[in-house]
């Protein structure tokens, strides 16, 4: 869209398609064509505007179908300056690698946009103001983690390759690392790692006084989150999960996606024995279909809290060891249905069901 607008601003006719240079080759191609939805300028060509419709393919992207709009206008100063238009967020917190108060447009997109403009006009001879808008972007942003990262008013203009990779785990990994970066920049502790939306709700109930930036949904990227926390000098974290993820982490498995790892029932059997379960219960747990099934067997024998504590302690030791002790990790287990705290690696009011507080550590 920026290139199509620049072409108009330079005095050329409107184009129905432009080709863009990618930061890295894609399937052996360094340039990719894009259809232009609309392009227009005023009579004196003091400004030009173009629109490209986002096609996310199979990726579950809230911006699929969005009308990415770029308006270029001549500036007094040389170079390309960026502004956030309607639907593009503004940065309000440090840690994103962007100026606070500036538009949420990341470094690689800025470079690509400036280079594309430069193929049509020379911004060093006559500067341009580049305003990016995404109609409806503010509503789209409510379905993302932008708010807690300090991006307000709309979506971010992101990207590192210029290519959508459908259902990319890399995008989730990048968002986890970025969330840790933002927390570190705020100098806010502790870091609360949650496996998903349900465990985050439980964590927020347990820790109601924490800033929302403390809560990071790591999914299957617990290890990556801890590495980033260690790199950023964060000394402690709390991991909140349910039995399934905890069972895998207790076995030392850091990539917990269901297609890449399975619950090891022998670990749960060992936990059962440590918690005072008899050999019949140990054998039953070792044959359990799932971690939830094992938990139900514990509950039938009145061992669910003791066993959950033991499981959390194992996970705590593994996660702390994973960062070579750089990040001390406390672990909390919550119930599948009620989301109440049922186990912990620390003495944290679990017997009375109270919330956390100053005694978290």
């Amino acid at each position: 869209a920026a290139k199509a607008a620049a072409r108009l601003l330079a005095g050329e006719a409107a184009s129905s398609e432009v080709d863009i240079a990618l930061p890295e080759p894609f399937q052996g191609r360094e340039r990719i064509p894009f259809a232009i939805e609309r392009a227009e300028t005023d009579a004196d060509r003091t400004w030009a505007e173009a629109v490209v419709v986002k096609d996310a393919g199979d990726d579950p992207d809230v911006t699929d179908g969005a009308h990415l709009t770029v308006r270029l206008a001549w500036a007094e100063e040389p170079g390309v300056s960026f502004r956030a238009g309607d639907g593009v967020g503004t940065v309000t917190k440090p840690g994103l690698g962007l100026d606070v108060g500036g538009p949420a447009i990341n470094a690689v997109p800025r470079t690509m946009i400036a280079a594309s403009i430069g193929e049509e006009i020379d911004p060093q001879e006559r500067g341009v103001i580049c305003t990016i808008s995404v109609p409806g972007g503010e509503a789209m942003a409510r379905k993302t983690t932008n708010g807690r990262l300090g991006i307000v008013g709309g979506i971010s203009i992101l990207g590192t390759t210029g290519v959508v990779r459908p259902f990319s785990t890399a995008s989730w990994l990048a968002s986890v690392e970025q969330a840790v970066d933002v927390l570190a920049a705020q100098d806010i502790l502790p870091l609360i790692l949650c496996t998903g939306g349900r465990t985050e709700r439980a964590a927020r109930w347990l820790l109601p006084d924490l800033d929302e930036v403390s809560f990071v949904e790591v999914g299957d990227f617990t290890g990556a989150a801890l590495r980033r926390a260690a790199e950023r000098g964060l000394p402690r974290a709390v991991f909140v999960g349910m039995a399934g993820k905890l069972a895998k982490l207790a076995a030392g498995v850091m990539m917990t996606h269901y297609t890449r790892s399975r619950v090891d029932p022998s670990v749960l059997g060992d936990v059962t024995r440590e918690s005072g379960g008899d050999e019949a219960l140990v054998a039953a747990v070792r044959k359990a279909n799932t971690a939830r099934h094992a938990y139900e067997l514990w509950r039938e024998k009145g061992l669910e809290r003791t066993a959950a504590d033991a499981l959390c302690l194992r996970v705590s030791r593994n996660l702390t060891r994973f960062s070579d002790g750089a990040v001390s990790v406390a672990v909390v287990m919550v119930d599948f249905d009620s989301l109440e705290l049922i186990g912990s690696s620390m003495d944290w009011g679990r017997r009375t069901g109270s919330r956390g507080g100053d005694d978290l550590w």
Side-chain angles (χ1 to χ4, degrees), residues 14-273:
S15 300
S16 59
E17 183 180 276
V18 296
D19 63 281
I20 300 298
L22 299 178
E24 57 186 57
F26 172 66
Q27 296 180 347
R29 301 165 64 189
E30 295 183 354
R31 302 185 72 89
I32 301 289
F34 289 90
I36 304 302
E37 178 76 6
R38 173 176 61 81
E40 60 182 330
T41 184
D42 65 338
D44 298 326
R45 299 199 187 236
T46 59
W47 60 265
E49 184 174 282
V51 178
V52 170
V53 178
K54 170 73 173 284
D55 179 3
D58 294 331
D59 203 45
D61 189 331
V62 298
T63 62
D64 187 35
H67 284 60
L68 302 174
T69 306
V70 174
R71 174 174 284 226
L72 300 183
W74 296 115
E76 295 181 1
E77 298 294 326
V80 178
S81 60
F82 291 90
R83 294 181 182 174
D86 178 51
V88 172
T90 298
V91 177
T92 65
K93 294 179 181 179
L96 294 170
L98 298 171
D99 292 336
V100 173
I105 306 169
N106 281 20
V108 172
R110 287 177 187 241
T111 299
M112 291 178 67
I113 292 166
S116 297
I117 292 171
E119 291 181 351
E120 303 296 331
I121 57 180
D122 186 352
Q124 297 307 314
E125 290 185 1
R126 191 177 184 185
V128 293
I129 299 168
C130 177
T131 302
I132 301 180
S133 305
V134 181
E138 187 168 5
M140 297 172 192
R142 297 190 192 107
K143 301 178 182 179
T144 74
T145 59
N146 276 8
R148 74 179 61 186
L149 297 178
I151 299 170
V152 300
I155 64 165
S156 315
I157 305 300
L158 303 174
T160 55
T161 66
V163 176
V164 171
R165 290 177 171 83
F167 294 99
S168 172
T169 55
S171 61
W172 194 334
L173 171 60
S175 70
V176 168
E177 292 176 338
Q178 191 174 62
V180 175
D181 289 347
V182 170
L183 174 69
Q186 311 308 307
D187 196 25
I188 294 174
L189 290 173
L191 168 65
I192 312 298
L193 305 177
C194 312
T195 56
R198 285 173 57 77
T199 52
E200 182 177 337
R201 287 198 297 276
R204 284 175 176 265
W205 186 88
L206 291 167
L207 296 161
D209 298 327
L210 291 186
D211 189 290
E212 67 173 358
V213 77
S214 289
F215 301 90
V216 179
E217 289 188 22
V218 296
D220 298 303
F221 296 105
T222 304
L226 291 175
R227 279 196 298 269
R228 197 67 159 203
E231 291 170 1
R232 295 295 181 261
L234 298 177
R236 59 187 192 242
V238 177
F239 182 89
V240 182
M242 298 179 188
K245 297 288 189 187
L246 294 182
K248 293 180 180 182
L249 293 169
V253 177
M254 291 294 137
M255 169 45 76
T256 54
H257 193 277
Y258 75 97
T259 62
R260 302 192 190 182
S261 61
R262 296 177 59 85
V263 171
D264 184 353
S266 66
V267 172
L268 296 177
D270 293 343
V271 168
T272 305
R273 184 178 290 111

